[in-house]
Amino acid sequence: MLARHQQATESATRAVRALLDVLLPPRCAICGGEVDCQGLLCADCFRQTGFISEPFCARCGVPFGSAALGGVERLCPTCRAELPVFGRARAALRYDAQGRRLVLPLKHADRTELTAVLVPQMARAGAELLGEADVIVPVPLHRWRLFHRRYNQAALLAKALGRIAKRQCVVDALRRIRATASLGEKSATERAAEVAQAFDVRPSRERMIQQRKVLLIDDVMTSGATANACAGALLAAGATSVDVLVAARVPDPRLN
Ligand SMILES: [Zn+2]
Ligand SMILES: [Zn+2]
């Protein structure tokens, strides 16, 4: 009797799922083509996406066209000239034309379901960093930007990664203590100057950061100026180390 009831429930569940698939067939997050399962890319879009794997800079994670570009130290020219404040940075994919199609709608079009595509790839690229981290912290948005955008995309990614890796996520550990101009068209030096002293750790969150290995999360890394400024604030508050994991990384054209 019970078995028959269970069977009936299961076939009803299957029927509902089949009906939902007809009404809302799972779609590729980039091109909208049909896929097998929600949160996947179609085969064509997957092939065109520049997922980052070795070789890359051992420190900042910028991808290399060939391993020889890093030399014996496996460092990019930027890190060789001046080591970043953070320990290691890793990124899931290149922020090229295809990468922008995955990340920009998350930023500007409320396409929060894109986290289902980005987060597993971030967990892959940052497996070592996630494994070593004690606590996960997102880069904060400025208050007026949060108001316009209604959510912080870095916090969405950080929370999802915290769930996967079973790590505490302190969403509001960092705060912007002064507004920064948009970094869009600025050079690396201008970016660094613009974001220096722009962040601090909220006094009420200091205890959650002190003597802990922090993994900082952002959607896009360009020059690394924002990551450096946040890492500086976290280290000043007593963090043992700060690594960085981002969804997408702007490639260095010298290293392709
Ligand atoms: Zn597609
Ligand atoms: Zn580097």
Side-chain angles (χ1 to χ4, degrees), residues 57 60 76 79:
C57 172
C60 76
C76 73
C79 289

Side-chain angles (χ1 to χ4, degrees), residues 134-148:
D134 297 316
V135 59
I136 295 178
V137 169
V139 169
L141 273 183
H142 198 255
R143 224 176 289 118
W144 68 262
R145 284 191 201 145
L146 185 61
F147 175 74
H148 284 288

